[in-house]
Amino acid sequence: MRSVTDVRSGADGEPRVSHTLTMDNAVEPIGVAVLGAGRMGQTHIRNLAGIAGVRVVAVADPVAEAAELGRTIAGAEVAVSDPLEAIAMPGVDAVVIVTPTSTHAVLIEAAVRAGKAVWSEKPIALDLVETARVVEVVRSSGQPVQLGFMRRFDPGYAAAKARIEAGELGRIEQFRALSRDTYPPSVEFLHHAGGIFLDMAVHDLDLARFLVGEVEEVRAWAAVLADERFAEAGDFDTAVAVLHFRDGAFGVVETARHSEWGYDIRTEVAGATGKVVIEAAQKTPVTFSRRFGYEGDHFENFPDRFEVAFRREMEAFIEALREGRQPRPGPEDALETLRLAIACTRSRAEGRAVRLDEVVA
Amino acid sequence: MRSVTDVRSGADGEPRVSHTLTMDNAVEPIGVAVLGAGRMGQTHIRNLAGIAGVRVVAVADPVAEAAELGRTIAGAEVAVSDPLEAIAMPGVDAVVIVTPTSTHAVLIEAAVRAGKAVWSEKPIALDLVETARVVEVVRSSGQPVQLGFMRRFDPGYAAAKARIEAGELGRIEQFRALSRDTYPPSVEFLHHAGGIFLDMAVHDLDLARFLVGEVEEVRAWAAVLADERFAEAGDFDTAVAVLHFRDGAFGVVETARHSEWGYDIRTEVAGATGKVVIEAAQKTPVTFSRRFGYEGDHFENFPDRFEVAFRREMEAFIEALREGRQPRPGPEDALETLRLAIACTRSRAEGRAVRLDEVVA
Amino acid sequence: MRSVTDVRSGADGEPRVSHTLTMDNAVEPIGVAVLGAGRMGQTHIRNLAGIAGVRVVAVADPVAEAAELGRTIAGAEVAVSDPLEAIAMPGVDAVVIVTPTSTHAVLIEAAVRAGKAVWSEKPIALDLVETARVVEVVRSSGQPVQLGFMRRFDPGYAAAKARIEAGELGRIEQFRALSRDTYPPSVEFLHHAGGIFLDMAVHDLDLARFLVGEVEEVRAWAAVLADERFAEAGDFDTAVAVLHFRDGAFGVVETARHSEWGYDIRTEVAGATGKVVIEAAQKTPVTFSRRFGYEGDHFENFPDRFEVAFRREMEAFIEALREGRQPRPGPEDALETLRLAIACTRSRAEGRAVRLDEVVA
Amino acid sequence: MRSVTDVRSGADGEPRVSHTLTMDNAVEPIGVAVLGAGRMGQTHIRNLAGIAGVRVVAVADPVAEAAELGRTIAGAEVAVSDPLEAIAMPGVDAVVIVTPTSTHAVLIEAAVRAGKAVWSEKPIALDLVETARVVEVVRSSGQPVQLGFMRRFDPGYAAAKARIEAGELGRIEQFRALSRDTYPPSVEFLHHAGGIFLDMAVHDLDLARFLVGEVEEVRAWAAVLADERFAEAGDFDTAVAVLHFRDGAFGVVETARHSEWGYDIRTEVAGATGKVVIEAAQKTPVTFSRRFGYEGDHFENFPDRFEVAFRREMEAFIEALREGRQPRPGPEDALETLRLAIACTRSRAEGRAVRLDEVVA
């Protein structure tokens, strides 16, 4: 019988470009423990399962069936309830933290103290003192730690960043970001989320830093326009912030906590010689035309809009570990973006411009 | 310590919609053997690894390092060189065939005779007699068999199909398909591919049947316009076919074997009351504007354009197995689409219209 | 010989829909005097020439060749240098004012006092006292007066307005406007223009009022980021304003005085149940695809982007005269939009929020 | 009083780029007679009225009110019923023919024999002998004659042509054209129109010659799929033609006589190194987003889609006259495109390939 691989690239009638095998057999697989096997945890487990040279050793979740489902997807060895037990397991080189926000700081700390690399969902914590403390713990541990600002890994934002770094936009003049979440969060969620700037605008604020640079001063406003539950929770459903970047550019961040038409994320950076607009206006590549018009669909939510970004951020983490590089964005990014979100929150509360250097731990 | 899952859906600051766990713990995982671990084989293995309740038991490839890479990605138990050995393994419920075209028929036959479900890359074979024979073997075996016409699972084509089936287009009048492959195939590939209609146009011909229905008569032409190697191999790099559907509609299929600007796939169905256009014009969700203009990018090749379709076809196969349904598209679809491609090939060779009922085994 | 009209609608092989003749022969043509025959004057003359039942009686411009060119285009009877002479001419029912800003107030006043209808380029004047005075003169004259906020007549803005008025957006939550002019103005122009909010942002501020409603309070900032000449003229090239509408919605207006990539005008209104985005992203209906990408062009300047709006505003004016209606937007709109622009200017200068009711004549 | 023109370019708050006056006072205006003042005639009159240095001297139409309306719009001197009278008038340098198809040949001939330049709606005639005769009359007269293939003047097609002529597409491989008319023609129209290839596809066939070059052989099919009235008139409502260009490229032209969703015109030329797609997918620059989707509108009919083309073809004609150049497309283009349409008609009728050199007068 002929070898089944000699023309394998033509097997489906289309593939004809040969790719080299990327696996280096001499390299030991990287052992990973995943902490938290809820919906996002499962997504990360699935993505880890697709990366060659990664072995999910353990999945930890206090809900036994969630842990077991994670284990099954990953083909992992064990499912445990205690995240600290998973961190301590032999063969675990890196820990992926997908637990509730309130547990991030303690688990990051436990992991780096145990000599493990860490990928963690953002934020480290919702207050500056605790965040700064963890940043210091990480720094002194020397362990590689990456935070989950996944939009940076979306192909659109990554391409925009490349253009900007190549100087194709010239001096940056304007940054514009709009975020509308499809579904408002639950009331219980609101009480632990830190408010609309820390919970929602934080993604756009991270993009502002990623694409343009550091901010010097902010002004912010917010209101309840759509849903009175937000007022009851002491929060807002609509917000706007004006950013003054250190290099002089203006930025505007607009946020709303509900969107009838779907997940609406658009970002724009304009400079002296060019402009990038990051927008995924259509979800499904099909247009339906009828009586004098046409229609298409929008993305429903962040898992479908940023599906690729979730995969790429995990690949980037693993790649950094393999190459012995510090992964990005790191704990310092979480700290600076938190500072920006707190400045916006304070500006709104106090009705005045707030300088970033006022916001100190 | 609080449970790590109770508000897990808010873990990344965005997810707030709860999803139910889809795993049924009582269900035995489905054991799969993957035959062929080349580039496409790896893609299918990665996709299988992401489906809950699937266990890749064995990966077979005569190239040891490819088999081993596949095994690693899948977290599979064994890597073997002989596909028949993998088919026969205990615990293998379904066989996924990603081997060269010339081996599809024999492996499908071996698998169904061994009582296994089959997913196979298309085509079954390049000649009608052999294909019809395998269709009959499959039919008498009663085993579920799905063929890899992956475009049907692209969200764009699936949405178009739903519109058409719902009657939103009214009576169909026109079908238009254009396919331009980015990279021309190698000369060696050409000698075993069956010509431009069987090798390339076959995807569009399958869409014609999927979206509109059966064809009564075809006319086809082809030429070498871009690359003399095709003439030397007795093949063509540019082709056009006119289809006359049984219900009266016209269809046009245009194909080219190279595209400087990327993988160019567009399909359109127009009817009395509406039209669908399936087109993914932009790859990355970013636009760069410069001196009086803007630019965006195109898809480079089918793996990036149809990444989701490859995942969904495998999910659909597994789902059909779980629900005890016959998966689609099945061997009969492969047979009818092959008949259509042969009719086009014959029309071009003989310079005349060819009726589909002329093309018999 | 057959009548040349009986199947005239098929004369070019395409036209087949019959339209009724819109001219009522019994109606006397409306006599118009055009004051100012510079570039924009010529545009308005050309548009007037295309409206059935309009006769351009006189064209006035101190530059004799400009007046004569205008006369030729219009097929008008006389070209004069003195605008007051043209206003006074018998047969002149309406006056179209396309002269420099500093002359608008005096010419509007002269025309309405002479019992003529008026269409005038905006603004009436750059200060509130003079504008309020002219508004009062117009009101007591009872003459119909329309101001040249032409964007309201762009099909995109008109369609957006119709959606909003029909309630399709629900309660309005966010207004976003971006305007980038392609070419920065000359230094001489700057000294008489009133600053970036009165000169440039005024179009977006008018749209805010047109699409959403009245504003209660503004905050504004501006900077020189691109061109030091603006600093020398005491003006800015980049500005941002945050609007708080009376009904609670937020608005953001961003403005820049140069754009390498062309005339960049985008406006968006988002509400509880829907969103409209007004944007003309591509100028020429052609896309060029090359190595893995595609490109299209942007509009170069307002005359090409808003060509239709310029025609429609003049048609709307003539139609209002014929139907004996008060045309819109009228002098009160010019007054309120000026108040808004002055509030922004003051907010920037004084570094504080400015309420609209503070800005009084 | 200050000059009304010295800063006129800033009159509307936006215009700031100075343009030179294009009128040369020494040039005598070109006197034009317009024959036919139906709907399309009015469009051409309106466009002529907007061109500096053109004077519409006479408008001829047997329907008195149409002629008078045309005269009014044009500010013309006289309205007459007899086109020959208008041709003969002193001061008439050029004749614009917008009469029914059956009168084109005799009026073109009369005009050039009278020493007048001619712009005429296409076609010259529906049969080859008569067309060839007129072409010869025109040639021997030496008069400049332009035919109304207006799509060539659409900015999209003009830009595509420029790309192709600059060699940016490399060797042309594929031409694709789709035309769907919004409204089917009346039955009376059908009896004089020459059939779907001469009446409708002729626009696409002209584009094939304009963008790619001459055709060697055609194959064509047609059917009645939507409207039985076409069968009764011996015509079709749906057609497809395959073109083989002399240089080897393939072309496909698809045509339908009705379109529920609007006027649907798309053309594409693909070559070795690039592709152009000419398509105006959206009419109004506004998008409305609602429950998980968005919608926009299509053009309703050729007057709105090709409004600019109608203006530009008239400007090009006048410009050629002024510069003493032969305007394009000329009578020879009408002859060759007619030959192509007749070849398609014959191919369909005889069920065989028809070479262009078979179609002789």
Side-chain angles (χ1 to χ4, degrees), chain B residues 141-162:
Chain B
S141 80
Q143 288 302 318
V145 175
Q146 179 175 330
L147 270 292
F149 291 101
M150 55 77 191
R151 285 193 199 167
R152 294 186 178 206
F153 297 92
D154 173 68
Y157 290 101
K161 173 76 168 176

mmCIF file of all heavy atoms in Angstrom, chain B residues 141-162:
data_model
loop_
_atom_site.group_PDB
_atom_site.id
_atom_site.type_symbol
_atom_site.label_atom_id
_atom_site.label_comp_id
_atom_site.label_asym_id
_atom_site.label_seq_id
_atom_site.Cartn_x
_atom_site.Cartn_y
_atom_site.Cartn_z
ATOM 1 N N SER B 141 -24.169 -1.906 4.295
ATOM 2 C CA SER B 141 -23.597 -2.031 5.647
ATOM 3 C C SER B 141 -24.466 -1.336 6.695
ATOM 4 O O SER B 141 -24.394 -1.671 7.873
ATOM 5 C CB SER B 141 -22.190 -1.421 5.674
ATOM 6 O OG SER B 141 -22.266 -0.006 5.792
ATOM 7 N N GLY B 142 -25.207 -0.324 6.241
ATOM 8 C CA GLY B 142 -26.016 0.433 7.196
ATOM 9 C C GLY B 142 -25.213 1.373 8.079
ATOM 10 O O GLY B 142 -25.758 2.016 8.970
ATOM 11 N N GLN B 143 -23.922 1.469 7.847
ATOM 12 C CA GLN B 143 -23.090 2.350 8.679
ATOM 13 C C GLN B 143 -23.270 3.812 8.280
ATOM 14 O O GLN B 143 -23.416 4.118 7.098
ATOM 15 C CB GLN B 143 -21.601 1.974 8.522
ATOM 16 C CG GLN B 143 -21.230 0.672 9.198
ATOM 17 C CD GLN B 143 -21.532 0.705 10.687
ATOM 18 O OE1 GLN B 143 -21.275 1.699 11.355
ATOM 19 N NE2 GLN B 143 -22.134 -0.381 11.191
ATOM 20 N N PRO B 144 -23.231 4.729 9.254
ATOM 21 C CA PRO B 144 -23.287 6.161 8.927
ATOM 22 C C PRO B 144 -21.963 6.636 8.312
ATOM 23 O O PRO B 144 -20.905 6.382 8.883
ATOM 24 C CB PRO B 144 -23.531 6.835 10.277
ATOM 25 C CG PRO B 144 -23.168 5.829 11.322
ATOM 26 C CD PRO B 144 -23.203 4.466 10.698
ATOM 27 N N VAL B 145 -22.074 7.281 7.158
ATOM 28 C CA VAL B 145 -20.876 7.766 6.473
ATOM 29 C C VAL B 145 -21.108 9.205 6.027
ATOM 30 O O VAL B 145 -22.127 9.509 5.409
ATOM 31 C CB VAL B 145 -20.545 6.886 5.240
ATOM 32 C CG1 VAL B 145 -19.363 7.489 4.465
ATOM 33 C CG2 VAL B 145 -20.230 5.464 5.663
ATOM 34 N N GLN B 146 -20.163 10.083 6.376
ATOM 35 C CA GLN B 146 -20.250 11.490 5.962
ATOM 36 C C GLN B 146 -19.041 11.845 5.106
ATOM 37 O O GLN B 146 -17.928 11.417 5.380
ATOM 38 C CB GLN B 146 -20.303 12.391 7.206
ATOM 39 C CG GLN B 146 -20.377 13.890 6.878
ATOM 40 C CD GLN B 146 -20.540 14.768 8.113
ATOM 41 O OE1 GLN B 146 -21.136 14.337 9.116
ATOM 42 N NE2 GLN B 146 -20.007 15.974 8.073
ATOM 43 N N LEU B 147 -19.285 12.642 4.036
ATOM 44 C CA LEU B 147 -18.186 13.048 3.164
ATOM 45 C C LEU B 147 -17.821 14.514 3.400
ATOM 46 O O LEU B 147 -18.693 15.325 3.725
ATOM 47 C CB LEU B 147 -18.562 12.848 1.696
ATOM 48 C CG LEU B 147 -18.240 11.478 1.064
ATOM 49 C CD1 LEU B 147 -16.713 11.306 0.953
ATOM 50 C CD2 LEU B 147 -18.872 10.334 1.826
ATOM 51 N N GLY B 148 -16.564 14.852 3.166
ATOM 52 C CA GLY B 148 -16.021 16.157 3.552
ATOM 53 C C GLY B 148 -16.284 17.310 2.598
ATOM 54 O O GLY B 148 -15.340 18.028 2.246
ATOM 55 N N PHE B 149 -17.530 17.527 2.194
ATOM 56 C CA PHE B 149 -17.841 18.762 1.465
ATOM 57 C C PHE B 149 -18.038 19.860 2.510
ATOM 58 O O PHE B 149 -19.157 20.183 2.894
ATOM 59 C CB PHE B 149 -19.102 18.584 0.621
ATOM 60 C CG PHE B 149 -18.916 17.644 -0.533
ATOM 61 C CD1 PHE B 149 -19.369 16.332 -0.476
ATOM 62 C CD2 PHE B 149 -18.267 18.087 -1.689
ATOM 63 C CE1 PHE B 149 -19.185 15.474 -1.543
ATOM 64 C CE2 PHE B 149 -18.088 17.214 -2.764
ATOM 65 C CZ PHE B 149 -18.546 15.909 -2.693
ATOM 66 N N MET B 150 -16.935 20.421 2.970
ATOM 67 C CA MET B 150 -16.979 21.261 4.171
ATOM 68 C C MET B 150 -17.681 22.587 3.967
ATOM 69 O O MET B 150 -18.183 23.180 4.911
ATOM 70 C CB MET B 150 -15.574 21.450 4.751
ATOM 71 C CG MET B 150 -14.524 22.004 3.809
ATOM 72 S SD MET B 150 -14.622 23.787 3.518
ATOM 73 C CE MET B 150 -13.479 23.978 2.159
ATOM 74 N N ARG B 151 -17.736 23.077 2.729
ATOM 75 C CA ARG B 151 -18.349 24.403 2.539
ATOM 76 C C ARG B 151 -19.796 24.443 3.028
ATOM 77 O O ARG B 151 -20.281 25.493 3.430
ATOM 78 C CB ARG B 151 -18.315 24.816 1.068
ATOM 79 C CG ARG B 151 -16.935 25.238 0.610
ATOM 80 C CD ARG B 151 -17.037 25.939 -0.733
ATOM 81 N NE ARG B 151 -15.753 25.956 -1.409
ATOM 82 C CZ ARG B 151 -15.596 26.274 -2.685
ATOM 83 N NH1 ARG B 151 -16.652 26.589 -3.427
ATOM 84 N NH2 ARG B 151 -14.402 26.287 -3.221
ATOM 85 N N ARG B 152 -20.467 23.290 2.962
ATOM 86 C CA ARG B 152 -21.854 23.260 3.435
ATOM 87 C C ARG B 152 -21.967 23.666 4.906
ATOM 88 O O ARG B 152 -23.045 24.034 5.357
ATOM 89 C CB ARG B 152 -22.425 21.839 3.298
ATOM 90 C CG ARG B 152 -22.562 21.355 1.865
ATOM 91 C CD ARG B 152 -23.260 20.007 1.851
ATOM 92 N NE ARG B 152 -23.464 19.515 0.491
ATOM 93 C CZ ARG B 152 -24.425 18.665 0.139
ATOM 94 N NH1 ARG B 152 -25.257 18.202 1.069
ATOM 95 N NH2 ARG B 152 -24.548 18.258 -1.103
ATOM 96 N N PHE B 153 -20.860 23.559 5.641
ATOM 97 C CA PHE B 153 -20.886 23.851 7.069
ATOM 98 C C PHE B 153 -20.383 25.248 7.399
ATOM 99 O O PHE B 153 -20.390 25.657 8.550
ATOM 100 C CB PHE B 153 -20.085 22.789 7.832
ATOM 101 C CG PHE B 153 -20.683 21.422 7.683
ATOM 102 C CD1 PHE B 153 -20.285 20.567 6.674
ATOM 103 C CD2 PHE B 153 -21.709 21.018 8.526
ATOM 104 C CE1 PHE B 153 -20.863 19.325 6.518
ATOM 105 C CE2 PHE B 153 -22.296 19.772 8.381
ATOM 106 C CZ PHE B 153 -21.882 18.921 7.365
ATOM 107 N N ASP B 154 -19.910 25.956 6.393
ATOM 108 C CA ASP B 154 -19.559 27.363 6.592
ATOM 109 C C ASP B 154 -20.817 28.115 7.021
ATOM 110 O O ASP B 154 -21.900 27.928 6.436
ATOM 111 C CB ASP B 154 -19.040 27.949 5.272
ATOM 112 C CG ASP B 154 -18.814 29.454 5.360
ATOM 113 O OD1 ASP B 154 -17.910 29.870 6.085
ATOM 114 O OD2 ASP B 154 -19.575 30.196 4.700
ATOM 115 N N PRO B 155 -20.717 28.978 8.028
ATOM 116 C CA PRO B 155 -21.923 29.697 8.474
ATOM 117 C C PRO B 155 -22.622 30.463 7.348
ATOM 118 O O PRO B 155 -23.845 30.592 7.356
ATOM 119 C CB PRO B 155 -21.366 30.651 9.540
ATOM 120 C CG PRO B 155 -20.155 29.973 10.063
ATOM 121 C CD PRO B 155 -19.550 29.260 8.882
ATOM 122 N N GLY B 156 -21.861 30.961 6.378
ATOM 123 C CA GLY B 156 -22.469 31.693 5.269
ATOM 124 C C GLY B 156 -23.349 30.795 4.408
ATOM 125 O O GLY B 156 -24.506 31.124 4.107
ATOM 126 N N TYR B 157 -22.823 29.653 4.022
ATOM 127 C CA TYR B 157 -23.600 28.736 3.178
ATOM 128 C C TYR B 157 -24.772 28.142 3.953
ATOM 129 O O TYR B 157 -25.850 27.942 3.401
ATOM 130 C CB TYR B 157 -22.689 27.651 2.590
ATOM 131 C CG TYR B 157 -21.763 28.228 1.555
ATOM 132 C CD1 TYR B 157 -20.438 28.515 1.853
ATOM 133 C CD2 TYR B 157 -22.229 28.548 0.280
ATOM 134 C CE1 TYR B 157 -19.595 29.107 0.913
ATOM 135 C CE2 TYR B 157 -21.394 29.132 -0.674
ATOM 136 C CZ TYR B 157 -20.084 29.410 -0.343
ATOM 137 O OH TYR B 157 -19.266 29.997 -1.274
ATOM 138 N N ALA B 158 -24.528 27.864 5.230
ATOM 139 C CA ALA B 158 -25.607 27.307 6.048
ATOM 140 C C ALA B 158 -26.758 28.317 6.178
ATOM 141 O O ALA B 158 -27.936 27.949 6.077
ATOM 142 C CB ALA B 158 -25.068 26.914 7.426
ATOM 143 N N ALA B 159 -26.419 29.586 6.367
ATOM 144 C CA ALA B 159 -27.454 30.618 6.482
ATOM 145 C C ALA B 159 -28.192 30.794 5.156
ATOM 146 O O ALA B 159 -29.414 30.993 5.116
ATOM 147 C CB ALA B 159 -26.824 31.940 6.931
ATOM 148 N N ALA B 160 -27.449 30.727 4.053
ATOM 149 C CA ALA B 160 -28.070 30.843 2.727
ATOM 150 C C ALA B 160 -29.055 29.698 2.508
ATOM 151 O O ALA B 160 -30.188 29.896 2.047
ATOM 152 C CB ALA B 160 -26.991 30.837 1.651
ATOM 153 N N LYS B 161 -28.611 28.499 2.846
ATOM 154 C CA LYS B 161 -29.460 27.318 2.703
ATOM 155 C C LYS B 161 -30.761 27.482 3.497
ATOM 156 O O LYS B 161 -31.852 27.159 3.009
ATOM 157 C CB LYS B 161 -28.687 26.089 3.195
ATOM 158 C CG LYS B 161 -29.465 24.799 3.276
ATOM 159 C CD LYS B 161 -29.680 24.183 1.911
ATOM 160 C CE LYS B 161 -30.213 22.747 2.026
ATOM 161 N NZ LYS B 161 -30.506 22.204 0.693
ATOM 162 N N ALA B 162 -30.636 27.994 4.710
ATOM 163 C CA ALA B 162 -31.822 28.174 5.558
ATOM 164 C C ALA B 162 -32.809 29.158 4.923
ATOM 165 O O ALA B 162 -34.021 28.928 4.931
ATOM 166 C CB ALA B 162 -31.395 28.658 6.945
#
